[in-house]
Amino acid sequence: MLNFDEARFIRIQSGALALAGSLDSLIGDLLDGGAKNIFFLGAGGAGVLMQPAAQLINRNADFPAYLENAAEMMAVGSSNLGAGSIVVVPSLSGTTKEAVEVVEFAKTRGAVTIALVGHDDTPVARAADHTFVNFAADDTSSESFYLQSLVLALSILRRRGEFAEYDETLAELDLLPALLVEAKRSFEDRAAALAESTKEVGYHIFTGAGEAWTEAWYFATCILEEMQWVRTRPVHASDFFHGTLELVEKGVSVFLLKGEDASRPLADRVESFAPTVTDSLTVIDSAEFELPGVSDRVRGLISHIVLATVLERYSAHLEIARDHPLTTRRYYRRLDY
């Protein structure tokens, strides 16, 4: 596969899953100590990647989970943040300005802070009450953060007696790193062809629902906009029909990401409509990829992870097709803003 190190990828994703035991132990201690809610407070893409975990908790437990933008939280505050709050702050570099500041912000309000970082001995890692480190880089961080936040969420459900299949689920998740490599391999040719056919496209609409919506937003914003300078319009599949559909016409590129959770009918609706007005619909469906040993129940928890891993193959080919390295920036971490 193009510019891909299989051993490195498996090592990183296995490292994310290896944190499950220590995360579960900490969550158990915090819940026993009276924790009453959890906040996921990240900045940019790392913060968005926490959305499936927050939704999983809210939809399956009587334990409030809040997904908030770190900068806005510090600007407006929350009456729910304080003693008894668990605050999770993801930051790949460990140096993101808002992440550093929100850790201190949460601590001054009595919350217990947990950092998920890719690098130890960094400002975020040092500031948090509890730090979990799993090295990753931009091409592997999505899956790593998705997996870390997933096992953390499952731990909350388990410790509260709301998820009886915890051990079985972790056993299936342990199969995932190697299975994701095979998913990448099966998508490689399509990724190359897709990169070639879209290299001149200057505008895409990205949509999805449920877990797939998180990945649609992330890929459109953090990969295509930030790393490729391609204009996108990320929109949730349920909102697609409340404004965005009027922008769709022949030649307009629509990317639909489909997952395997209960929100799938929302994506089906877009898939039925879009071809009636545009000749440029791309559907990437997590259900298309074989994951031997992974049950339907667990597949419903990891659609976003599968989508992230195959879209990485698309971005790897796209930077070559467009002669635009994914590391090129004009402003991000280049200017003081």
Side-chain angles (χ1 to χ4, degrees):
M1 288 184 276
L2 176 68
N3 294 335
F4 181 67
D5 184 331
E6 295 185 20
R8 171 178 171 271
F9 176 84
I10 291 176
R11 183 171 62 252
I12 289 170
Q13 308 315 329
S14 297
L17 289 167
L19 297 175
S22 50
L23 278 167
D24 179 57
S25 178
L26 173 60
I27 291 299
D29 290 343
L30 294 176
L31 291 178
D32 289 344
K36 61 184 182 182
N37 60 35
I38 186 168
F39 280 78
F40 294 91
L41 297 178
V48 171
L49 294 174
M50 300 293 106
Q51 181 169 331
Q55 291 179 336
L56 180 64
I57 296 168
N58 276 331
R59 294 168 181 174
N60 293 277
D62 183 20
F63 187 78
Y66 302 94
L67 179 77
E68 302 282 354
N69 179 283
E72 185 167 16
M73 171 60 70
M74 290 184 288
V76 302
S78 170
S79 60
N80 296 305
L81 177 65
S85 296
I86 302 169
V87 170
V88 179
V89 179
S91 175
L92 180 61
S93 68
T95 62
T96 309
K97 177 182 177 182
E98 297 93 335
V100 176
E101 293 175 348
V102 83
V103 169
E104 297 295 349
F105 176 88
K107 289 171 68 174
T108 62
R109 280 150 182 78
V112 174
T113 55
I114 300 174
L116 305 178
V117 297
H119 303 276
D120 203 356
D121 197 24
T122 54
V124 174
R126 291 191 297 267
D129 296 309
H130 306 277
T131 295
F132 294 84
V133 182
N134 186 52
F135 170 79
D138 285 341
D139 60 332
T140 52
S141 63
S142 293
E143 298 97 325
S144 177
F145 276 135
Y146 278 147
L147 287 169
Q148 291 174 66
S149 57
L150 172 59
V151 296
L152 188 155
L154 292 176
S155 175
I156 289 176
L157 301 183
R158 172 211 180 194
R159 293 283 181 167
R160 291 175 49 81
E162 293 158 322
F163 189 72
E165 303 85 5
Y166 177 83
D167 291 333
E168 297 88 338
T169 298
L170 284 191
E172 291 185 37
L173 290 177
D174 283 340
L175 303 173
L176 203 55
L179 294 177
L180 292 177
V181 170
E182 296 309 311
K184 287 176 181 288
R185 199 185 315 279
S186 70
F187 194 69
E188 185 76 4
D189 289 346
R190 186 182 175 195
L194 189 58
E196 187 63 28
S197 66
T198 59
K199 65 182 181 182
E200 302 295 341
V201 177
Y203 170 71
H204 302 281
I205 295 171
F206 264 71
T207 189
E211 298 168 346
W213 160 238
T214 301
E215 183 55 26
W217 189 100
Y218 177 85
F219 190 83
T221 302
C222 296
I223 307 302
L224 290 184
E225 290 188 338
E226 178 182 322
M227 299 184 183
Q228 285 295 298
W229 306 349
V230 174
R231 291 174 173 83
T232 70
R233 168 63 164 107
V235 59
H236 194 284
S238 64
D239 290 326
F240 184 92
F241 296 96
H242 298 277
T244 302
L245 81 168
E246 291 294 338
L247 299 177
V248 185
E249 57 186 354
K250 186 176 180 180
V252 172
S253 171
V254 177
F255 270 71
L256 171 64
L257 305 188
K258 297 186 68 175
E260 300 170 63
D261 61 8
S263 70
R264 189 175 175 90
L266 303 178
D268 290 337
R269 186 183 179 198
V270 175
E271 188 174 15
S272 295
F273 168 78
T276 68
V277 289
T278 182
D279 54 355
S280 184
L281 171 66
T282 300
V283 179
I284 303 177
D285 186 348
S286 67
E288 297 175 3
F289 300 96
E290 296 183 4
L291 301 174
V294 179
S295 64
D296 289 344
R297 172 179 53 80
V298 173
R299 289 188 69 114
L301 297 173
I302 60 171
S303 298
H304 54 307
I305 304 173
V306 176
L307 292 167
T309 215
V310 298
L311 281 169
E312 182 276 328
R313 290 290 78 211
Y314 172 47
S315 61
H317 284 275
L318 191 62
E319 72 170 340
I320 302 299
R322 300 188 72 244
D323 191 24
H324 186 116
L326 294 165
T327 54
T328 300
R329 303 288 188 279
R330 287 182 292 192
Y331 314 123
Y332 182 66
R333 295 184 183 265
R334 300 287 193 270
L335 302 178
D336 185 16
Y337 47 81

